[in-house]
Amino acid sequence: MRIVIAGGHGQIALRLERLLSAGGHEVAGIIRRPEQGDDLRDAGAEPVILDLETASVEMVAAVLQGADAAVFAAGAGPGSSVERKDTVDRAAAVLFADAAERAGVRRYVVVSSMGADAAHPGDDVFDAYLRAKGAADDTVRARTALDWTILRPGSLTNDAGKGLVRLEVHTGPGMVPRDDVAAVLAELLDTPATAGLTLELISGSTPLSVAVKDVAGN
C-alpha cells in the first residue's frame, strides 16, 4: 500500500513509518520543515513539505492522490497555544479528511486522544486540546466516504513496547508506550474490518495483533 501520514515527524509517526516501510509499504510523511526530511528518510518514508495550517484542500489532495490509506497523526504539540490546538488538532484534521475524500482515499486512520470530547469543559490548554480532538473526531465520524478508524491512546510513554495491549471501545485510563501505539496503527491499516470504530488503547495482556483482530468488525 501507499500510505500518507500527516504529522510525519511526530514521535508516533516516525515509529509507524519504520514499521510500514519495513513491511514493504510505500510511505510518505507530511512535514512543515525541510530539515526534518532526513529523519523521515532514515525511517524509510518520503518527506513531503506542506504546512497543513495554510495549505488548501487541493494542495493536500494532490499529495494524497493515488494513496491507499491516510493517517492523521499531526498535533500542535506540548507548549502550543489554545489557538494552535484549534488550527492543527481540529482544523488540520478536518482539512486532511476533506482532502482524502477529494482524492478518493477511503481508508482513514486518526491518532486521537483518550478523553477527546468536543464538549469537554475547562479553560486549560489541555482542555482546549481535548475539545479540538473531539470536534475533529466528530467530523471524521460523519464522513460516509471514508472508512475511518479512530484510535484514542491513553497516556503516552517512551518505554520500550511490549506488544501487549488492551484495545476496546472503552478501556478506562492507563498508559501505553508509543512503540505499541505505532504497532497497533500498522495493524489497523492492515485490518479494514476495523472501519467505523473508535477505540481506546492502553497497555494490557493481549498481543496487539490479536487485540486488533478481536475488535475487527465489532
Side-chain angles (χ1 to χ4, degrees):
M1 292 194 295
R2 175 172 171 80
I3 300 160
V4 178
I5 302 172
H9 195 256
Q11 294 187 66
I12 291 172
L14 285 167
R15 288 168 166 84
L16 178 59
E17 287 156 4
R18 290 188 192 97
L19 290 173
L20 293 174
S21 61
H25 297 294
E26 180 184 348
V27 188
I30 296 175
I31 54 177
R32 287 191 301 129
R33 297 196 291 273
E35 61 268 24
Q36 297 172 335
D38 284 345
D39 290 337
L40 269 73
R41 293 184 191 95
D42 289 344
E46 167 201 350
V48 178
I49 313 301
L50 189 66
D51 187 344
L52 294 176
E53 289 182 270
T54 59
S56 67
V57 174
E58 291 78 14
M59 292 166 67
V60 183
V63 175
L64 285 165
Q65 199 67 45
D68 299 292
V71 179
F72 186 82
S80 57
S81 65
V82 168
E83 290 75 20
R84 292 202 71 229
K85 300 303 184 193
D86 184 69
T87 58
V88 179
D89 293 289
R90 185 198 60 79
V94 174
L95 172 72
F96 201 56
D98 289 342
E101 286 189 331
R102 186 162 300 194
V105 180
R106 290 200 61 93
R107 190 71 177 114
Y108 191 87
V109 176
V110 177
V111 183
S112 184
S113 174
M114 191 174 292
D117 183 348
H120 182 83
D123 299 322
D124 291 341
V125 174
F126 189 69
D127 297 323
Y129 166 75
L130 292 176
R131 284 194 293 272
K133 295 297 285 185
D137 291 353
D138 289 346
T139 298
V140 169
R141 287 187 291 211
R143 309 291 178 112
T144 58
L146 297 178
D147 296 328
W148 54 265
T149 304
I150 295 171
L151 183 66
R152 292 178 165 178
S155 300
L156 300 169
T157 76
N158 286 326
D159 297 338
K162 295 182 178 179
L164 299 173
V165 299
R166 184 177 172 193
L167 179 70
E168 300 171 14
V169 174
H170 298 293
T171 64
M175 304 179 79
V176 61
R178 288 179 172 87
D179 286 352
D180 288 337
V181 177
V184 168
L185 289 168
E187 289 282 343
L188 290 172
L189 286 165
D190 277 336
T191 313
T194 57
L197 297 178
T198 301
L199 300 166
E200 294 182 350
L201 174 69
I202 58 175
S203 291
S205 58
T206 304
L208 59 89
S209 59
V210 174
V212 171
K213 288 181 175 65
D214 284 348
V215 299
N218 293 336

PDB file of all heavy atoms in Angstrom, residues 11-12 15 155-161 175-180:
ATOM      1  N   GLN A  11       6.503  11.711  17.066  1.00  0.00           N
ATOM      2  CA  GLN A  11       7.156  10.541  17.669  1.00  0.00           C
ATOM      3  C   GLN A  11       6.456   9.240  17.288  1.00  0.00           C
ATOM      4  O   GLN A  11       7.106   8.224  17.022  1.00  0.00           O
ATOM      5  CB  GLN A  11       7.189  10.694  19.194  1.00  0.00           C
ATOM      6  CG  GLN A  11       8.069  11.837  19.670  1.00  0.00           C
ATOM      7  CD  GLN A  11       8.199  11.843  21.178  1.00  0.00           C
ATOM      8  OE1 GLN A  11       8.782  10.934  21.775  1.00  0.00           O
ATOM      9  NE2 GLN A  11       7.650  12.846  21.823  1.00  0.00           N
ATOM     10  N   ILE A  12       5.135   9.254  17.269  1.00  0.00           N
ATOM     11  CA  ILE A  12       4.405   8.058  16.851  1.00  0.00           C
ATOM     12  C   ILE A  12       4.554   7.861  15.351  1.00  0.00           C
ATOM     13  O   ILE A  12       4.760   6.739  14.873  1.00  0.00           O
ATOM     14  CB  ILE A  12       2.923   8.155  17.257  1.00  0.00           C
ATOM     15  CG1 ILE A  12       2.788   8.071  18.787  1.00  0.00           C
ATOM     16  CG2 ILE A  12       2.098   7.049  16.591  1.00  0.00           C
ATOM     17  CD1 ILE A  12       1.392   8.346  19.302  1.00  0.00           C
ATOM     18  N   ARG A  15       7.834   6.218  14.277  1.00  0.00           N
ATOM     19  CA  ARG A  15       7.804   4.791  14.600  1.00  0.00           C
ATOM     20  C   ARG A  15       6.936   4.033  13.585  1.00  0.00           C
ATOM     21  O   ARG A  15       7.303   2.939  13.137  1.00  0.00           O
ATOM     22  CB  ARG A  15       7.245   4.590  16.013  1.00  0.00           C
ATOM     23  CG  ARG A  15       8.190   5.024  17.133  1.00  0.00           C
ATOM     24  CD  ARG A  15       7.440   5.057  18.462  1.00  0.00           C
ATOM     25  NE  ARG A  15       8.314   5.133  19.627  1.00  0.00           N
ATOM     26  CZ  ARG A  15       8.830   6.263  20.114  1.00  0.00           C
ATOM     27  NH1 ARG A  15       8.554   7.415  19.493  1.00  0.00           N
ATOM     28  NH2 ARG A  15       9.598   6.246  21.187  1.00  0.00           N
ATOM     29  N   SER A 155      -2.230   7.664  28.271  1.00  0.00           N
ATOM     30  CA  SER A 155      -1.032   8.480  28.485  1.00  0.00           C
ATOM     31  C   SER A 155       0.168   7.823  27.813  1.00  0.00           C
ATOM     32  O   SER A 155       0.469   6.653  28.063  1.00  0.00           O
ATOM     33  CB  SER A 155      -0.775   8.639  29.983  1.00  0.00           C
ATOM     34  OG  SER A 155      -1.867   9.279  30.611  1.00  0.00           O
ATOM     35  N   LEU A 156       0.866   8.594  26.994  1.00  0.00           N
ATOM     36  CA  LEU A 156       1.947   8.053  26.180  1.00  0.00           C
ATOM     37  C   LEU A 156       3.267   8.036  26.936  1.00  0.00           C
ATOM     38  O   LEU A 156       3.596   8.972  27.661  1.00  0.00           O
ATOM     39  CB  LEU A 156       2.096   8.887  24.906  1.00  0.00           C
ATOM     40  CG  LEU A 156       0.863   8.940  24.003  1.00  0.00           C
ATOM     41  CD1 LEU A 156       1.040   9.993  22.926  1.00  0.00           C
ATOM     42  CD2 LEU A 156       0.583   7.577  23.386  1.00  0.00           C
ATOM     43  N   THR A 157       4.037   6.956  26.751  1.00  0.00           N
ATOM     44  CA  THR A 157       5.368   6.856  27.342  1.00  0.00           C
ATOM     45  C   THR A 157       6.376   6.487  26.250  1.00  0.00           C
ATOM     46  O   THR A 157       6.004   6.028  25.169  1.00  0.00           O
ATOM     47  CB  THR A 157       5.429   5.789  28.451  1.00  0.00           C
ATOM     48  OG1 THR A 157       5.455   4.484  27.849  1.00  0.00           O
ATOM     49  CG2 THR A 157       4.234   5.895  29.387  1.00  0.00           C
ATOM     50  N   ASN A 158       7.644   6.680  26.562  1.00  0.00           N
ATOM     51  CA  ASN A 158       8.724   6.271  25.660  1.00  0.00           C
ATOM     52  C   ASN A 158       9.345   4.955  26.095  1.00  0.00           C
ATOM     53  O   ASN A 158      10.447   4.609  25.657  1.00  0.00           O
ATOM     54  CB  ASN A 158       9.781   7.361  25.557  1.00  0.00           C
ATOM     55  CG  ASN A 158       9.307   8.535  24.708  1.00  0.00           C
ATOM     56  OD1 ASN A 158       8.562   8.355  23.742  1.00  0.00           O
ATOM     57  ND2 ASN A 158       9.701   9.741  25.079  1.00  0.00           N
ATOM     58  N   ASP A 159       8.662   4.214  26.954  1.00  0.00           N
ATOM     59  CA  ASP A 159       9.134   2.880  27.321  1.00  0.00           C
ATOM     60  C   ASP A 159       9.151   1.981  26.087  1.00  0.00           C
ATOM     61  O   ASP A 159       8.394   2.199  25.131  1.00  0.00           O
ATOM     62  CB  ASP A 159       8.212   2.257  28.373  1.00  0.00           C
ATOM     63  CG  ASP A 159       8.191   3.041  29.677  1.00  0.00           C
ATOM     64  OD1 ASP A 159       9.162   3.791  29.926  1.00  0.00           O
ATOM     65  OD2 ASP A 159       7.209   2.917  30.423  1.00  0.00           O
ATOM     66  N   ALA A 160       9.991   0.984  26.116  1.00  0.00           N
ATOM     67  CA  ALA A 160      10.012   0.024  25.010  1.00  0.00           C
ATOM     68  C   ALA A 160       8.666  -0.699  24.934  1.00  0.00           C
ATOM     69  O   ALA A 160       8.093  -1.089  25.957  1.00  0.00           O
ATOM     70  CB  ALA A 160      11.129  -0.983  25.221  1.00  0.00           C
ATOM     71  N   GLY A 161       8.180  -0.856  23.726  1.00  0.00           N
ATOM     72  CA  GLY A 161       6.915  -1.538  23.535  1.00  0.00           C
ATOM     73  C   GLY A 161       7.011  -3.004  23.925  1.00  0.00           C
ATOM     74  O   GLY A 161       8.026  -3.658  23.698  1.00  0.00           O
ATOM     75  N   MET A 175      -1.688   3.836  30.744  1.00  0.00           N
ATOM     76  CA  MET A 175      -0.517   4.277  29.994  1.00  0.00           C
ATOM     77  C   MET A 175      -0.243   3.292  28.864  1.00  0.00           C
ATOM     78  O   MET A 175      -0.657   2.130  28.911  1.00  0.00           O
ATOM     79  CB  MET A 175       0.694   4.394  30.921  1.00  0.00           C
ATOM     80  CG  MET A 175       0.454   5.304  32.112  1.00  0.00           C
ATOM     81  SD  MET A 175       1.869   5.433  33.224  1.00  0.00           S
ATOM     82  CE  MET A 175       2.881   6.582  32.316  1.00  0.00           C
ATOM     83  N   VAL A 176       0.489   3.779  27.852  1.00  0.00           N
ATOM     84  CA  VAL A 176       0.836   2.918  26.727  1.00  0.00           C
ATOM     85  C   VAL A 176       2.085   3.475  26.039  1.00  0.00           C
ATOM     86  O   VAL A 176       2.200   4.682  25.813  1.00  0.00           O
ATOM     87  CB  VAL A 176      -0.340   2.805  25.723  1.00  0.00           C
ATOM     88  CG1 VAL A 176      -0.718   4.152  25.126  1.00  0.00           C
ATOM     89  CG2 VAL A 176      -0.036   1.785  24.640  1.00  0.00           C
ATOM     90  N   PRO A 177       3.067   2.623  25.730  1.00  0.00           N
ATOM     91  CA  PRO A 177       4.258   3.098  25.016  1.00  0.00           C
ATOM     92  C   PRO A 177       3.926   3.524  23.592  1.00  0.00           C
ATOM     93  O   PRO A 177       3.075   2.917  22.923  1.00  0.00           O
ATOM     94  CB  PRO A 177       5.191   1.877  25.018  1.00  0.00           C
ATOM     95  CG  PRO A 177       4.693   0.994  26.113  1.00  0.00           C
ATOM     96  CD  PRO A 177       3.208   1.202  26.141  1.00  0.00           C
ATOM     97  N   ARG A 178       4.620   4.538  23.128  1.00  0.00           N
ATOM     98  CA  ARG A 178       4.436   4.980  21.745  1.00  0.00           C
ATOM     99  C   ARG A 178       4.755   3.858  20.754  1.00  0.00           C
ATOM    100  O   ARG A 178       4.160   3.782  19.687  1.00  0.00           O
ATOM    101  CB  ARG A 178       5.299   6.212  21.466  1.00  0.00           C
ATOM    102  CG  ARG A 178       4.808   7.483  22.149  1.00  0.00           C
ATOM    103  CD  ARG A 178       5.721   8.673  21.868  1.00  0.00           C
ATOM    104  NE  ARG A 178       5.158   9.920  22.358  1.00  0.00           N
ATOM    105  CZ  ARG A 178       5.314  10.379  23.597  1.00  0.00           C
ATOM    106  NH1 ARG A 178       6.038   9.671  24.482  1.00  0.00           N
ATOM    107  NH2 ARG A 178       4.767  11.521  23.968  1.00  0.00           N
ATOM    108  N   ASP A 179       5.714   3.009  21.112  1.00  0.00           N
ATOM    109  CA  ASP A 179       6.031   1.850  20.258  1.00  0.00           C
ATOM    110  C   ASP A 179       4.779   1.025  19.983  1.00  0.00           C
ATOM    111  O   ASP A 179       4.520   0.602  18.846  1.00  0.00           O
ATOM    112  CB  ASP A 179       7.064   0.945  20.936  1.00  0.00           C
ATOM    113  CG  ASP A 179       8.470   1.513  20.932  1.00  0.00           C
ATOM    114  OD1 ASP A 179       8.704   2.549  20.274  1.00  0.00           O
ATOM    115  OD2 ASP A 179       9.333   0.912  21.597  1.00  0.00           O
ATOM    116  N   ASP A 180       4.010   0.762  21.036  1.00  0.00           N
ATOM    117  CA  ASP A 180       2.827  -0.077  20.885  1.00  0.00           C
ATOM    118  C   ASP A 180       1.705   0.652  20.146  1.00  0.00           C
ATOM    119  O   ASP A 180       0.931   0.025  19.417  1.00  0.00           O
ATOM    120  CB  ASP A 180       2.342  -0.564  22.254  1.00  0.00           C
ATOM    121  CG  ASP A 180       3.265  -1.613  22.859  1.00  0.00           C
ATOM    122  OD1 ASP A 180       3.996  -2.270  22.095  1.00  0.00           O
ATOM    123  OD2 ASP A 180       3.271  -1.764  24.098  1.00  0.00           O
TER     124      ASP A 180
END
